[in-house]
Amino acid sequence: MELIYVIEDDENIRELITAALASYGYQVEAFEAAEPALEQIVKDRPSLAIFDIMLPGMDGLEAIEEIRRTPQVSGTPIIVLTAKDKEFDKVIGLDRGADDYMTKPFSVLELAARVRSQLRRESGKDHQLADRLEEGNLVIRPETREVFLDGSLLHLTLKEYELLKYLVENKNRVVTREQILNQIWGYEYEGESRTLDMHIRSLRQKLGDNGAELIRTVRGVGYRFYGQEKED
C-alpha cells in the first residue's frame, strides 16, 4: 500500500484530503506543519507528498527544497497545493522542486487523478537505461538523472528532467502537447492549466541563452527540440 504524506495546516482541508485518498486505498500520514514531516520522511520513505505552500514555521517551498537535498528521498514525487494562482507563483513552486501543483479550491477527484498519475509514472519507470544521451554540449545521464551543460550540473526538478529527456529522445521531431502530457504526466489536463508551458519556460531558462533555440514552440501543435552541434 502506497504511503502518502499530506502537509496542510487547514484542518478541514487536511481531513478532506486524508479521507479522499484513504477511500482510494492509500495509507495517509497527515501533518499540520513541515518540520514534523521532515523529521520522519527518511524513515517512512513515502511514495508521494502533498504540500501546502503557506504553512506555519517552515513554508512548503523550503520543505520541498530540503527534501530535494536529501539523497534518500530526493526523488519523491511532490504535488503542491496553493491558494496563490498567479503564474509567477506557480513557476516558483515548480522551480523549487515540485512536480505538479493545484490551486485552491480544488476537486478531490482531480487531486486523486494527479496522485495516481505521479505514482504510475514512478512505478512504470524503465530501469534498462542508456548510459548517456549527448546533444552538443548537453549531456543527460539517465542512470543518475543528471544533466550537464558545458560540464556544469543543471539543477532540474524530476518533471523538468523527464520533459527534457523526452524532447531530446525525439529531437528534430514535433511532439504535441497531448503526447507530452500523456508521456510525462500520464493524463490530459482539463481547462486552462499552464503546467506544461511553465515547465518549458523553466527549462529554457536553465538551459541558458540558447534555451529558446533548443526548445522551440510550434504554435498550435507543441514543441520541438533542435539538435545542436558540439563545440570544439
Side-chain angles (χ1 to χ4, degrees):
M1 180 184 298
E2 293 101 334
L3 171 63
I4 298 176
Y5 270 20
V6 175
I7 302 90
E8 165 64 63
D9 63 328
D10 186 303
E11 183 177 1
N12 292 328
I13 296 177
R14 189 170 64 247
E15 291 181 354
L16 173 66
I17 296 173
T18 299
L21 294 179
S23 72
Y24 283 95
Y26 300 117
Q27 180 182 352
V28 182
E29 186 75 27
F31 305 85
E32 59 181 325
E35 289 86 350
L38 293 179
E39 287 177 4
Q40 67 182 75
I41 191 170
V42 173
K43 175 184 176 182
D44 289 349
R45 305 285 182 92
S47 300
L48 180 142
I50 300 172
F51 270 93
D52 183 23
I53 287 183
M54 304 301 292
L55 294 168
M58 178 185 290
D59 68 32
L61 296 180
E62 292 176 298
I64 292 170
E65 288 187 318
E66 181 65 27
I67 290 172
R68 295 304 183 220
R69 288 193 295 265
T70 306
Q72 300 95 317
V73 292
S74 61
T76 304
I78 296 174
I79 298 175
V80 164
L81 297 178
T82 174
K84 297 181 177 182
D85 60 0
K86 293 182 180 179
E87 185 172 314
F88 180 70
D89 294 323
K90 297 171 186 175
V91 171
I92 291 176
L94 296 170
D95 192 54
R96 298 278 285 273
D99 297 300
D100 201 357
Y101 71 89
M102 291 188 68
T103 55
K104 299 176 182 178
F106 58 88
S107 160
V108 292
L109 292 177
E110 183 179 1
L111 176 62
R114 296 195 183 204
V115 167
R116 288 196 301 272
S117 174
Q118 293 291 336
L119 294 176
R120 192 162 54 240
R121 288 289 305 162
E122 284 299 298
S123 65
K125 282 175 183 171
D126 181 8
H127 296 287
Q128 302 302 316
L129 301 173
D131 290 335
R132 58 198 279 154
L133 297 171
E134 288 191 55
E135 275 303 315
N137 298 326
L138 183 71
V139 176
I140 299 175
R141 294 179 177 170
E143 193 66 34
T144 57
R145 293 182 186 167
E146 292 177 319
V147 178
F148 295 86
L149 181 64
D150 293 321
S152 297
L153 177 66
L154 296 183
H155 296 285
L156 305 182
T157 68
L158 177 60
K159 280 293 181 284
E160 287 171 350
Y161 165 79
E162 292 180 343
L163 175 57
L164 179 61
K165 180 173 177 287
Y166 181 66
L167 290 172
V168 170
E169 288 173 336
N170 291 276
K171 68 177 182 178
N172 298 323
R173 291 178 48 204
V174 178
V175 285
T176 68
R177 295 176 61 85
E178 292 74 19
Q179 287 174 322
I180 295 173
L181 288 171
N182 287 331
Q183 176 67 29
I184 306 303
W185 279 270
Y187 65 96
E188 295 184 6
Y189 280 92
E190 300 289 341
E192 297 298 322
S193 175
R194 298 289 302 280
T195 295
L196 173 57
D197 301 313
M198 286 185 281
H199 275 78
I200 291 288
R201 179 180 302 177
S202 179
L203 261 183
R204 284 170 172 163
Q205 291 173 347
K206 292 181 180 182
L207 289 172
D209 295 338
N210 294 326
E213 288 298 314
L214 290 175
I215 302 175
R216 301 187 192 179
T217 300
V218 180
R219 192 173 299 276
V221 181
Y223 297 95
R224 179 177 181 180
F225 183 92
Y226 276 77
Q228 56 176 332
E229 295 297 325
K230 195 172 196 176
E231 296 177 1
D232 295 327

